Amino acid sequence: MHVSERLLQLYADVDASTRTKLQTLIKQNLGDGKSLTVSFEELTGATKASLPTDEKSAADFTAWIKGGKKDATFLPYYVSLLEKHDRVLNKEATVPQPIKVDKTVVNETTADAASEKTPQSAAQTQKPRYVPETSVPSRAERAKRIEPARPRKKKGKWLGGLLLVAVLLGGGYIGYPYVAALFEPSETTEVEAPAPEPEPVVEAPETNYVWLATKNVNLVSEPNGTTVTYIGDIGDRYEIVNEQDDHVEVDLDGTTAWVALDAVTTDWPSRDLTDSTLLDWAETNLDNAWLGEALPDFFAMNEAALTETIGAPYGRETDALNAYAFYNGGFFVIQDDQVHAIDWTNTQLAREAFDALGEPVIETSDALVYESETYSLRLFIGTNGQTRVRLTEK
């Protein structure tokens, strides 16, 4: 079992008063500075070669407790002492110098015109009326100016008549199209208005995510760093902020951390599993006596409503992202003052119990993940046979 998972299990099993006494003895023993290996031997009377040999002080340990237990150096040392808390508390600790015990105060983690172009109508230019250069005489004036016709010879009359007929015929042939055009309806040239420009389509920026593909993944403060900001679980989804070499930087609700590429995946399949099927399985296969309410109801509660519904937890811890409220039978993961997940500890459920749910979304040697539209159901298998089940609202 990963050391971080052992810590969660120990917090579920060891009451807060016992943990406080143990932390006091640790601070007294470390004093101004001491090797963690030596301190463990003095407190327990036993040796453990796998522990770090770094020299730490009581002040370092106090800062580690208050800072959310991010430094991976203290983690195996503290977990090993929690496992032997009975021996430590029954043995007189070496006290190099008295120091004042600091009370750790837990802070709750509180939480987009296009312009239409109206075409201007083309101004129609009117054809100017003809104005004669001289005024037209009246009919009376014209009658005065007409001289009486002189008599002509008969031959001249015939020639004049033929000429008149020719003129009329020729003029009619030439002028017919123009006269006919006067009686045809005039065609008005229609000016087509240009089509309006399409409105620009504003595309939302693509958001990239990664999912943790293994159990208990250390998210560190810098690539290849040792300071653990948060310990994630298989199936956790994070938004990508940056990429560098073989690491990606992810968003942790206000802060960021780095995770190795070999521990994540960008290809997360989906399965045809309904919410009711998943919840029915949890109601049937898990011990829910300590809850007393329908499972979906808890995801609508903040921490105050949770306490009012099932009582105060016997223990509470925090890290960089969540708060954990411990009860007999399991614990709640609280994120932004909202219940985010329910964990059942020491379930002893085998992998075969999940067969009724079909094919998992992802499966490893020590974990299973099933998902419906709203929920995620996960099995974590410890090396000692103990199993933990988590129901999360996505």
Side-chain angles (χ1 to χ4, degrees), residues 89 94 109 118 135 220 222 304 388:
L89 296 177
T94 303
T109 309
T118 304
S135 61
V220 293
E222 58 186 357
R388 175 167 56 96

Side-chain angles (χ1 to χ4, degrees), residues 23-63:
Q23 292 169 10
T24 300
L25 288 177
I26 291 173
K27 295 172 188 176
Q28 292 175 348
N29 182 266
L30 289 175
D32 292 331
K34 183 179 296 183
S35 165
L36 295 183
T37 304
V38 172
S39 174
F40 178 82
E41 184 175 355
E42 291 178 353
L43 289 169
T44 64
T47 59
K48 193 166 186 175
S50 62
L51 290 179
T53 59
D54 304 54
E55 186 174 296
K56 298 289 185 178
S57 67
D60 295 332
F61 181 75
T62 299

Side-chain angles (χ1 to χ4, degrees), residues 135-147:
S135 61
V136 179
S138 67
R139 181 180 296 180
E141 291 175 344
R142 293 198 304 269
K144 292 178 181 180
R145 295 178 186 178
I146 298 175
E147 297 180 0

Side-chain angles (χ1 to χ4, degrees), residues 2-15:
H2 190 275
V3 65
S4 62
E5 191 171 2
R6 287 163 53 200
L7 179 61
L8 275 177
Q9 187 64 56
L10 286 166
Y11 268 81
D13 297 337
V14 181
D15 62 87

Side-chain angles (χ1 to χ4, degrees), residues 60-77:
D60 295 332
F61 181 75
T62 299
W64 181 73
I65 291 291
K66 290 182 177 181
K69 310 174 186 64
K70 298 178 182 179
D71 189 347
T73 305
F74 269 119
L75 193 56
Y77 163 81

Side-chain angles (χ1 to χ4, degrees), residues 125-133 136:
T125 305
Q126 295 184 353
K127 187 175 180 179
R129 297 182 61 185
Y130 171 75
V131 180
E133 296 180 0
V136 179

Side-chain angles (χ1 to χ4, degrees), residues 167-229:
V167 170
L168 291 174
L169 291 174
Y173 177 78
I174 296 172
Y176 174 77
Y178 299 98
V179 174
L182 294 175
F183 296 95
E184 293 180 358
S186 60
E187 295 182 0
T188 303
T189 303
E190 294 184 0
V191 179
E192 291 187 4
E197 297 182 359
E199 296 185 4
V201 178
V202 180
E203 296 184 357
E206 182 181 358
T207 302
N208 295 320
Y209 295 94
V210 292
W211 288 261
L212 297 187
T214 59
K215 190 178 74 169
N216 296 323
V217 180
N218 287 338
L219 281 68
V220 293
S221 59
E222 58 186 357
N224 296 310
T226 58
T227 300
V228 179
T229 302

